[in-house]
Amino acid sequence: MSGTENKAEIFTITEMVEPAAERETMRKSPRMFEQYVQPCLAELYGTTLFVFVGCASVMGNIGQFGVLQAAMAHGLALAVLIMLFGKISGGHFNPVVSVSVYLCGGMKLALLLPYILAQMLGGLLGAALTRGVFPDNIYNASFGGSFLVGPTADLGKITLVEVIMTLFLTLAVCMGAVNKKTSSPVAAFCIGLTVSANILAGGQLSGACMNPARAFGPAVVAGQWGFHWIFWTGPLCGALITVTLVSSFASFCGHLESFHDHFVGMFAIGNHIVPL
């Protein structure tokens, strides 16, 4: 009888332990999805829409003087997309923004490469969508919304313009959204306005790219690769300078929070933070 009771007891304990382990696994799976998959999907969707709107605004500006249409379209689209996806991924939609946020301590290293890959794929999809919806004559006349540099252009000056404008943009991101002491509840629109201001100021000089994903997608779809390296080198250098500047304010900055945490706080209801 004693042996039978022991076996029954062991069997009962085993039955209790296995469901507990399964429940723990089931709890971890949604957390992995929320922490790693959802943010990358948000970056993919957001970058796709941003590049589509950006390229479409350039095509819609054919035959008109000035860059007001492109400036407003890029800035407004970015501000709205950050508001939409900020709670999920932080709303970077730009590889150099992700690099600067990571180096400032605002995101995990494990998310950096997946974010960049999602953003590059989003750039391709957004450019492909514009190729699909616009007539060939308009698409070809605007070179698919890609960034062009003339053969006689001063490459040094164009690169410097990209450095300065991306410095302004990434500084707005890191100080306006990532740094807790200087963050603003209207950071999304401040960042969008920064993009608009940069395009108004530098659109005639370099095209005001500030975003390698925005340059990469149209370059692939339209086949426009002339001096494409400028739109990687300039923005990346600007982002690295931002990291240096933020580090120089380290005593004031104190705590840096992730883009995700900042926008979750923005969408808090009373004292209750709405979970994802």
Side-chain angles (χ1 to χ4, degrees):
M1 292 293 291
S2 175
T4 305
E5 290 176 357
N6 289 339
K7 289 179 180 178
E9 184 179 354
I10 292 170
F11 180 74
T12 304
I13 292 172
T14 303
E15 279 188 325
M16 293 174 64
V17 170
E18 287 181 353
E22 291 175 1
R23 285 196 299 271
E24 182 64 22
T25 302
M26 291 176 66
R27 279 197 298 267
K28 287 182 179 179
S29 296
R31 293 299 298 169
M32 291 288 290
F33 182 78
E34 290 175 3
Q35 291 180 3
Y36 296 100
V37 179
Q38 277 186 347
C40 292
L41 290 176
E43 288 297 306
L44 172 64
Y45 301 153
T47 309
T48 298
L49 293 172
F50 175 71
V51 172
F52 172 77
V53 171
C55 292
S57 69
V58 173
M59 296 178 199
N61 203 40
I62 291 295
Q64 300 182 28
F65 180 77
V67 294
L68 180 60
Q69 180 172 328
M72 295 302 296
H74 282 84
L76 289 173
L78 182 59
V80 172
L81 288 169
I82 292 173
M83 292 293 291
L84 292 176
F85 295 111
K87 288 176 64 178
I88 302 172
S89 70
H92 297 185
F93 316 129
N94 185 335
V96 298
V97 167
S98 296
V99 169
S100 63
V101 170
Y102 164 69
L103 292 176
C104 287
M107 69 180 291
K108 299 176 182 177
L109 176 60
L111 282 172
L112 181 59
L113 181 58
Y115 264 41
I116 293 174
L117 293 176
Q119 291 156 359
M120 302 307 291
L121 179 58
L124 283 171
L125 293 176
L129 286 174
T130 56
R131 181 69 180 90
V133 300
F134 277 88
D136 288 343
N137 61 326
I138 296 178
Y139 183 87
N140 294 331
S142 62
F143 301 96
S146 56
F147 294 89
L148 301 178
V149 177
T152 60
D154 190 327
L155 302 184
K157 287 183 179 179
I158 293 175
T159 305
L160 180 60
V161 169
E162 286 295 317
V163 171
I164 295 170
M165 290 188 296
T166 310
L167 166 64
F168 189 14
L169 171 61
T170 51
L171 197 60
V173 171
C174 292
M175 298 298 286
V178 180
N179 176 33
K180 190 173 183 179
K181 287 187 176 180
T182 59
S183 62
S184 167
V186 293
F189 287 100
C190 289
I191 295 166
L193 287 174
T194 302
V195 169
S196 293
N198 280 338
I199 295 175
L200 288 171
Q204 299 284 2
L205 299 174
S206 70
C209 176
M210 302 170 281
N211 186 341
R214 169 66 180 84
F216 178 73
V220 173
V221 176
Q224 299 292 333
W225 292 100
F227 302 106
H228 183 71
W229 58 268
I230 290 175
F231 306 109
W232 286 82
T233 305
L236 184 57
C237 290
L240 295 178
I241 295 173
T242 289
V243 175
T244 304
L245 292 177
V246 172
S247 299
S248 69
F249 295 123
S251 59
F252 179 75
C253 291
H255 175 65
L256 293 171
E257 62 180 348
S258 70
F259 236 23
H260 167 273
D261 292 341
H262 171 74
F263 284 102
V264 166
M266 284 175 58
F267 287 90
I269 300 177
N271 291 324
H272 174 65
I273 303 251
V274 180
L276 291 179

